Every structure is written in structure tokens, then in C-alpha cells.
Amino acid sequence: MVDSQYYLPNDIGISALDCSEAFRLLSPQEKMYAHYLSRASWYGGLVVLLQTSPESANIFVLLQRIFRKQTPAQLEQVATAAGLSSEEYQAFLVYAAGLYANMGNYKSFGDTKFIPNLPKDKLKALVWASQAFQEQPAEMEALWDSCSCLLYSLENRQKQLGLGDKGITTYFSGNCCLEDAELAQKFLDSKKLSAYNTRLFKKEDGGKACYEVRLASAVQKGQTAVKKHFALVASVTKCPAQPLLKENLFVNVLQAYAANENQRKMLEEYTRSFTLGSIDAHKEGSRYWIKDKGPIVESYIGFIESYRDPFGSRGEFEGFVAVVNKAMSERFAKLVSSAEVLLPELPWPQEFEKDTFLKPDFTSLDVLTFAGSGIPAGINIPNYDDIRQTEGFKNVSLGNVLAVAYATQKEKLTFLEEGDKDLFIKWKGPSFEVQVGLHELLGHGSGKLFVQDDMGKFNFDQSKVINPETGEPVSSWYRGSETWDSKFSTIASSYEECRAECVGLYLCLNKQVLSIFGHEGQDADDVVYINWLSMVRAGLLGLEFYTPESKRWRQAHMQARFVILRVLLEAGEGLVGLEEVTGEDGKPDAQITLDRSKIPTVGKNAIHRFLCKLQVFKSTADVEGGRAFYDKYSTVSDTGAHNFLRLRETVLLRKEARKMFVQANTRISGDSVELVEYEGSAAGLIRSFTERFQDDAEQLESGLLELSKQDAPCWC
């Protein structure tokens, strides 16, 4: 039997993201703006297939060709005739939906491979019986042969994303290891080049290792140290019709539909960035984006999050378009107004906080389009430290994602006492809304990085600022082009998520914060309790995303939550209980308890101490100290007060698959834009993708296959 974590269950939750009312209220100009940015996002989002695994693009094309000829309903009769049971056909639909939702065959949350939950010969029979195969047998057979082996393979290295012998990655050629990544990062830092939009390829030349850094760009231009290639974005979208990077797509938006000059300048810089492979241009576009305060249609696009780069420096492509929810945004605006009062409550000295809090936009949005490998609940961007520290940032909370992502059925609520379950279901949504707000605004938005620039100038007084952990003057800092990601690399994402989560836990105890979100009295106390209980439970659930064989975490947020669980268990005094028990089904189970009366004392004190240490290590660029500290709490072992390795088996036994989302499409009809919605099912998710690229499907698919073929030798 293959471990169930490598399948998507037939009953996996699939929900449609409802944005119909928000879209209806847009003006005709705003609808056009949203439409064209959505098209840019979806076409650019195909880049993720090439950033995920060697086979993802080929599997995507195989599925697209099958479902472009026959809808899931039409194909069902073919499947029955080919010998598939209804459960096997549903497993095929769920696999296809999962491939689309994750933009590849590795889970976006956890980086674990998933394979079809039906025999390979049954899937092959279905492919051979499909109309697509009947019409083009030679092409379809070649396509099957190109990906069917890896589609089902669960060799150890292929079970998860990783670098070298730790897993699969297409950010690096197959012969790269951690030392190669470190060497490349030093080179990029020395040339003041960002790794965000790059991949690294290593070749042997006369017995010497040669490295090629490929930047995502639409022009091919040789340089002495770095070569720019038709990599990623340019290749994926360089099709005769509607390419992402050819100017017509953005010019349509720029000339007619942008609401203001900031939006026009922003889009001009994005176009320049994707055309030339320039992160500096993207940063400039981000500056205009920050200045575009309170737009009705919000968007961001580019190489953004570095969670899936095993080294932690390269960004995965994403693009989103969303519409402001005015009522909820008013609450977030009040939180922003209170930020300067709340920031001094954080447990680090004033010198470790930014000199000036740059009040950001903080809005609640209903997602129209989110192209990439997954959809978060909230975002704090841009990720460029130099901009966030001195110029500002924006926060967004994705309201229609929150509305469906964390809805829980009581019978599926694991590891809690019966007395907590009803309260958990009632307050999980509202408490998470508070946590997301604090996490994004005052978590990611807080804290100063001590920097000495290339001219030798410091942004702090190195003779006077005292490290509160040592009582001595600060003795380390960031130099020149060093950034948080490049310095802390492999732990940067999880460490920062942990810091932001702790800020949320710490500040949700503040009555003013709770009042902003409409919670008073007993309700406010319940929100705090469920927020902390959710975090403790999430820490246990996080064990699903740990791989014992490689002793490696596969998901930044879940590692962070496990670390917080360890910190709160360490606090003692009966704050948190974690007990292994036997379930009603006779199988291993576990139970979590949290003494709510001790949250404001024992709990707050534990987070106070821990959070201060996190910030000090981060501010002072103390990689050695920070890594040792964070790794200690990240360790999963079978020794100590709790056998976490055994608990991991229990978590896997009782895990619930993460939900998938079906997103709408937009299309131009005459002079107006229509919203095309789909049902919340595997079939609906599949149809949304086959209808998303109708205009130039064959050219697009040929381009993807060509790109995949060009790089195929690099992964061996």
C-alpha cells in the first residue's frame, strides 16, 4: 500500500471562490482592468509548472488536450467503457483538479508529491480511449510516454521538493547541491543581483564546474558574468496570441483602463521587468503600487514568494486580482491607525523597531484571480526588505478565501476535547481574521534590520544600541546587498512566519485590537482562547509536513506553528497539555488541552521571551545564533516529554486533505466583461482551466512542451 499522503482523497473539499457580488459592483472600466490583469496573471502563472517539477508541464498539457475535447461528464462514459469504476474515474478527476489547483504534481502546501489514486494501466486505458487520442494517437502516445513514468513514481527523492538528494527541484539543475546554491548566492550578492527571478544550472567544462544563472526575461542578451535567456516567463508566454510579456496585453490596460497615473507607471515597470528580466524594474513598479492607495481593483504580479526554493532565495511566480470589500477594510484601516500605539507593546527595545512606521494600505479583498501554486489567506508585500524598511508595504486579507478555507465539520475536527469543538467551530473564522490582520500588519510589518551600506553608513548607532540578550553593544549587521532571505536562506521563510504568528498571538490579547474587530466581553475572551488553541492544534497538525527520512520540514508556516507549540509546552505550569490516547475507533489518537486562564500570564510571558530572541537574531543578522535557536525548537524526535515522531504517525492517520478552490473566469462580450462561474467540484475546477486558455490553446501547449523538452537533460 502506498502511503495515503501521496494521494488526494476522492472526498477532498473543493469550494468555489465567490466574487460575483464584488465583481457586479465594478464599473465597466474597472471590469476591463480586472479582466486584462487576470489574463496576464493566468498566462504568467503557467511558469509555475516549470518551477515545480520536470514532468508538471507535460502532465498539464496531457490533461488539457483530453479535457478540451471532452468535458468531465462526456468523458465519464468513455471511462466506464474502458473499464474504470466510478471511484477510479472520480480519482482521475480529483488528480486532474489537484494538478491544476497546485500548478504541478506537488502540493503547494507541504511540497509532497501526489499521484493518481487508480492503477496506471486504468489511466492509460482512459487516455487511449479519449477523443484526443483518437484524433492524434501518435502525439498523445508520445505525450504519455514523456510523463507517465514520473507521473506515478514515488522513489524517495521524488516524494518531495528539495535540493540535491533531499528531493526534486527545477530551480536548480539536477547536479546542484547546497554548496552550489551558496556559491551562486555569494556571486549574485557580489554583482548586486537578486535571485528572485533566476534559476541555476551547473555544467562541467574541462573538469571545472561552470554555473549559468538564468534570469526570466523576454529578450536574449549575453553578459560577461550572467546570461539572460528565454527562460520561464518569456518562453511560457511567447505565443502568437495574448502573450504575457508582449506589450499589447499591458498596453490595453495602460491606455484605456488604469484608474490613475500610479497604476500606469506600475504596469509600465512590470512590463519592463518581464521584458528585460529586471528585478530593479519590478521594485520600481512595486513603489508605484505602494503609492496606489485604496484601489477598488487591487493586484500584484511577479516572482514573489520564496517558500518553494530549497535555498529560500528564488521567487515563485504569482499574480492576483481582487476587489475591495469596503466594510471589512474599514476594520483593517482602524488597525493601521492603531499600529503606532500597538508597536511599542512588542517585546523588543525601541531601537529594534523601525525609525518610522510607514502606514500601509490594509484592505480586505475578494479574490477574482489568484494564479500560482496556491492561495494564501493574507499577504504582506512587497518582499523587498529595502522597500519595506524605508518606503512601505501593503497588507491584504483575502475575505472570500477565509470564508471557505477554514470552515470545519465537527466530525472532522481532530485532537480537541469535545467541550472545545462547538466553541472552536463558532470562533475559528473570527479569531483567524484577527490573527491574519495582526500577522500581516504588525508581524511582517514590524522590526528593524541593522544595515551598513556600501558607503559604510549605518542605519543605527552601533556604539549605543545594546543587544538585550547579551547586554553588550550590537556586534553584527547586514552589509551592502545582503538581505534577510540571502542571509538566513533555508530558514528565512519559516523563521519570519513564526515571528509574525507570535506577534499575532501576543497582540490579540490587547482589548483595543479585539474591539476593532467587533469583539467585546466574553466574546473577546473566546476569540483569544480559540486563536491560541488553533495555534497549538496547528502545531500538532504541522507534523504532517515533516519528513523523518531527511529530517526536513516541507512547509514554512507549519514548521513555524510546531515551533510555537514546542515553546508553549516548554512554558509548563499546565498551560498546554498534549496526550496520546486511543480513539473511539481503537486506533491511536491525541488530545490537546489549553488552560485559558493562563494565556495572559504563562502564555504571554513565554511568547514575550521567545519573540524578543527571534527579533534580536533577525535585526543583527546573527545567522549562526538564529539558526541554532530555531533549529532547536524545530527538531522532531522520539525523546523527551513527547514522542513527536510517533505523534506524527497519528497525525497522518487522521489528517484531512487541504481544500482546493475553483476560480471564475472573465471574458469580453461586446463592450462589456462577463464573469464566468463554475461549480465547486473537481469537474468545475477542470472546466475553469480548459476554458481559461481557449483562444490559443494549441500554441500555448506547444510552447510549454518545447520548454520542457529543452531543459529535460538538466534534471538527470
Side-chain angles (χ1 to χ4, degrees):
M1 288 289 292
V2 174
D3 193 319
S4 64
Q5 69 176 311
Y6 302 110
Y7 292 130
L8 300 178
N10 278 10
D11 63 350
I12 190 171
I14 303 177
S15 299
L17 282 183
D18 181 14
C19 64
S20 56
E21 181 63 13
F23 188 80
R24 184 184 68 81
L25 294 173
L26 294 178
S27 69
Q29 177 179 334
E30 290 163 347
K31 288 180 180 179
M32 284 289 187
Y33 183 71
H35 167 76
Y36 280 107
L37 279 176
S38 292
R39 302 312 297 154
S41 296
W42 285 122
Y43 276 77
L46 295 174
V47 169
V48 179
L49 293 165
L50 299 170
Q51 292 182 296
T52 300
S53 72
E55 65 273 15
S56 286
N58 294 48
I59 300 171
F60 175 87
V61 173
L62 179 72
L63 295 173
Q64 286 289 84
R65 290 188 174 175
I66 290 171
F67 288 116
R68 278 199 291 110
K69 295 295 182 180
Q70 292 168 293
T71 66
Q74 292 168 337
L75 195 62
E76 186 170 11
Q77 297 177 5
V78 176
T80 301
L84 277 72
S85 67
S86 59
E87 290 79 13
E88 288 170 336
Y89 182 62
Q90 179 63 19
F92 168 63
L93 293 184
V94 166
Y95 176 80
L99 191 286
Y100 289 133
N102 292 279
M103 266 290 113
N105 59 337
Y106 286 77
K107 296 175 187 176
S108 64
F109 200 86
D111 295 343
T112 306
K113 188 173 187 177
F114 58 94
I115 65 173
N117 192 12
L118 71 159
K120 186 176 181 179
D121 61 337
K122 291 287 188 76
L123 179 54
K124 182 177 181 179
L126 175 58
V127 173
W128 257 244
S130 68
Q131 185 178 332
F133 190 93
Q134 302 308 308
E135 293 182 7
Q136 294 182 308
E139 287 190 25
M140 289 295 287
E141 184 171 359
L143 192 50
W144 170 265
D145 289 343
S146 74
C147 64
S148 58
C149 181
L150 287 174
L151 192 150
Y152 271 93
S153 175
L154 282 176
E155 293 183 14
N156 282 337
R157 185 170 171 239
Q158 290 161 355
K159 288 181 179 179
Q160 65 281 314
L161 299 179
L163 183 57
D165 60 359
K166 303 294 185 184
I168 292 297
T169 180
T170 51
Y171 287 103
F172 300 86
S173 57
N175 56 352
C176 283
C177 61
L178 182 61
E179 289 74 18
D180 297 310
E182 290 171 342
L183 185 64
Q185 188 62 57
K186 289 178 181 177
F187 165 76
L188 290 169
D189 286 344
S190 72
K191 299 295 180 183
K192 300 191 182 334
L193 287 170
S194 170
Y196 269 119
N197 63 341
T198 70
R199 297 193 294 174
L200 182 68
F201 292 79
K202 179 183 176 182
K203 298 176 182 178
E204 296 291 331
D205 186 4
K208 291 184 178 181
C210 296
Y211 297 92
E212 182 181 25
V213 178
R214 297 189 185 177
L215 279 71
S217 65
V219 295
Q220 189 170 0
K221 182 179 179 183
Q223 293 186 336
T224 54
V226 179
K227 294 181 181 178
K228 294 186 179 180
H229 281 263
F230 279 105
L232 299 179
V233 173
S235 299
V236 169
T237 58
K238 200 168 180 59
C239 305
Q242 283 193 324
L244 171 62
L245 300 181
K246 286 185 84 171
E247 253 185 77
N248 68 314
L249 192 60
F250 277 132
V251 166
N252 282 328
V253 179
L254 291 165
Q255 291 181 340
Y257 308 120
N260 54 55
E261 189 64 17
N262 279 323
Q263 288 183 0
R264 279 185 280 274
K265 292 287 188 182
M266 170 189 80
L267 292 165
E268 285 175 1
E269 292 296 338
Y270 289 168
T271 302
R272 190 164 70 90
S273 171
F274 299 143
T275 303
L276 302 176
S278 169
I279 289 296
D280 285 341
H282 194 267
K283 290 171 77 169
E284 197 62 27
S286 299
R287 290 184 171 99
Y288 286 112
W289 178 70
I290 293 168
K291 295 174 185 175
D292 185 28
K293 301 289 187 181
I296 301 300
V297 178
E298 184 62 280
S299 67
Y300 199 62
I301 188 169
F303 295 89
I304 312 300
E305 300 294 352
S306 58
Y307 298 126
R308 299 182 92 185
D309 170 16
F311 190 67
S313 294
R314 288 153 189 82
E316 185 175 80
F317 193 96
E318 68 180 40
F320 78 83
V321 183
V323 183
V324 169
N325 178 321
K326 292 183 179 179
M328 183 56 66
S329 295
E330 286 180 12
R331 294 184 182 178
F332 289 130
K334 290 179 181 176
L335 188 64
V336 172
S337 297
S338 304
E340 288 169 294
V341 176
L342 295 171
L343 281 170
E345 291 196 15
L346 292 172
W348 47 78
Q350 181 182 350
E351 294 82 3
F352 284 72
E353 190 49 70
K354 294 173 185 172
D355 301 332
T356 304
F357 180 71
L358 302 164
K359 288 188 176 182
D361 237 11
F362 197 168
T363 50
S364 177
L365 308 173
D366 285 343
V367 170
L368 168 64
T369 294
F370 207 112
S373 65
I375 309 178
I379 316 169
N380 175 288
I381 38 183
N383 285 336
Y384 306 118
D385 286 327
D386 51 342
I387 294 179
R388 276 157 65 136
Q389 289 279 317
T390 60
E391 298 178 55
F393 52 91
K394 281 189 184 182
N395 294 281
V396 298
S397 175
L398 303 179
N400 57 344
V401 176
L402 283 169
V404 295
Y406 299 97
T408 309
Q409 296 175 329
K410 190 173 181 179
E411 59 270 20
K412 291 186 177 182
L413 197 53
T414 53
F415 309 130
L416 296 180
E417 291 184 306
E418 280 300 313
D420 279 332
K421 289 184 177 180
D422 287 332
L423 202 64
F424 189 95
I425 290 169
K426 179 179 180 180
W427 293 111
K428 177 66 173 95
S431 69
F432 194 68
E433 185 179 271
V434 173
Q435 179 69 10
V436 168
L438 293 171
H439 174 115
E440 300 297 347
L441 175 67
L442 299 173
H444 292 315
S446 65
K448 181 173 182 173
L449 301 185
F450 296 142
V451 179
Q452 180 185 18
D453 65 22
D454 289 329
M455 305 300 291
K457 183 180 178 182
F458 290 86
N459 70 342
F460 69 104
D461 188 339
Q462 74 273 23
S463 66
K464 293 183 179 178
V465 177
I466 302 299
N467 182 325
E469 299 299 319
T470 65
E472 301 291 330
V474 166
S475 58
S476 58
W477 47 81
Y478 299 84
R479 299 172 190 272
S481 59
E482 290 179 342
T483 67
W484 162 250
D485 282 332
S486 70
K487 195 78 174 170
F488 280 72
S489 64
T490 54
I491 68 164
S493 291
S494 182
Y495 189 110
E496 174 61 11
E497 293 304 330
C498 188
R499 196 183 67 87
E501 291 283 48
C502 286
V503 169
L505 288 180
Y506 194 77
L507 291 180
C508 81
L509 294 165
N510 185 287
K511 299 297 183 185
Q512 180 183 352
V513 168
L514 295 165
S515 180
I516 288 171
F517 285 90
H519 307 305
E520 306 281 355
Q522 184 60 46
D523 286 354
D525 292 341
D526 287 345
V527 165
V528 170
Y529 175 56
I530 296 304
N531 193 35
W532 279 64
L533 184 62
S534 297
M535 188 63 69
V536 172
R537 178 174 179 264
L540 180 60
L541 296 177
L543 287 167
E544 175 189 344
F545 302 94
Y546 176 77
T547 303
E549 293 80 10
S550 62
K551 297 183 178 179
R552 180 174 166 270
W553 285 91
R554 305 186 313 275
Q555 213 293 321
H557 299 79
M558 300 311 283
Q559 178 183 358
R561 291 159 187 164
F562 175 77
V563 166
I564 292 170
L565 169 63
R566 291 283 308 275
V567 169
L568 295 178
L569 283 167
E570 184 183 81
E573 299 187 48
L575 173 67
V576 173
L578 174 55
E579 182 183 4
E580 294 184 65
V581 298
T582 301
E584 293 181 1
D585 56 4
K587 297 177 181 178
D589 206 340
Q591 192 167 85
I592 289 166
T593 56
L594 174 66
D595 187 337
R596 63 188 297 166
S597 70
K598 294 179 180 177
I599 292 173
T601 53
V602 180
K604 185 178 182 180
N605 290 338
I607 295 297
H608 182 287
R609 292 189 298 270
F610 179 68
L611 187 51
C612 186
K613 290 180 189 294
L614 287 179
Q615 183 58 50
V616 169
F617 288 131
K618 180 180 180 183
S619 290
T620 59
D622 184 354
V623 179
E624 186 176 340
R627 186 178 291 276
F629 181 65
Y630 198 66
D631 285 350
K632 181 184 79 168
Y633 287 103
S634 298
T635 301
V636 178
S637 71
D638 56 2
T639 60
H642 300 93
N643 188 329
F644 286 115
L645 282 174
R646 188 166 63 222
L647 279 165
R648 178 180 177 273
E649 298 302 316
T650 302
V651 169
L652 289 174
L653 177 69
R654 301 188 178 276
K655 73 183 179 69
E656 181 181 1
R658 192 171 175 83
K659 282 185 179 179
M660 299 191 292
F661 300 115
V662 183
Q663 299 182 60
N665 282 322
T666 55
R667 66 183 175 205
I668 294 178
S669 177
D671 295 330
S672 61
V673 179
E674 294 179 350
L675 187 71
V676 184
E677 297 179 281
Y678 305 89
E679 67 178 19
S681 66
L685 206 162
I686 290 165
R687 283 194 59 207
S688 73
F689 268 85
T690 52
E691 294 181 11
R692 193 157 282 150
F693 305 103
Q694 284 180 318
D695 297 337
D696 53 0
E698 291 185 8
Q699 300 97 315
L700 191 69
E701 291 163 11
S702 295
L704 275 170
L705 291 178
E706 181 58 32
L707 257 180
S708 181
K709 183 179 178 181
Q710 284 176 11
D711 285 339
C714 300
W715 318 128
C716 300

